């Protein structure tokens, strides 16, 4: 599916999945195909912010729920 999405040619990759671990695994799968791309990842758990930002050019946006 990464081939269909042309992840190897993308300037930016947006990852919005329900699970932070899956989001992390997606970034790890795409990074070797396109090391210069900028990632925008929506994470659910604030404590996971560090594992994403340690990857360099990654941008992380946390989803805030209104209760």
């Amino acid at each position: 599916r990464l081939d269909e999405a042309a992840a190897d040619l993308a300037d930016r990759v947006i990852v919005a999945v329900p699970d932070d671990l899956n989001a992390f695994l997606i970034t790890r799968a795409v990074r070797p195909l396109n090391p210069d791309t900028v990632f925008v990842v929506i994470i659910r758990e604030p404590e996971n912010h560090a594992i994403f930002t340690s990857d360099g050019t990654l941008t992380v946006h946390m989803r805030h729920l209104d209760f």
Side-chain angles (χ1 to χ4, degrees):
R1 292 189 174 188
L2 293 175
D3 291 336
E4 292 174 16
D8 58 330
L9 302 174
D11 291 331
R12 288 168 192 82
V13 173
I14 299 170
V15 181
V17 295
D19 182 72
D20 290 354
L21 176 58
N22 286 337
F24 181 71
L25 294 174
I26 291 167
T27 63
R28 289 293 182 198
V30 174
R31 178 70 65 198
L33 301 174
N34 192 343
D36 298 324
T37 194
V38 174
F39 284 91
V40 177
V41 180
I42 297 176
I43 63 170
R44 305 300 190 249
E45 302 298 327
E47 60 270 9
N48 291 334
H49 180 77
I51 65 169
F52 288 98
T53 57
S54 67
D55 201 356
T57 61
L58 185 65
T59 302
V60 180
H61 295 275
M62 290 182 220
R63 180 177 158 208
H64 297 282
L65 299 174
D66 295 324
F67 290 101

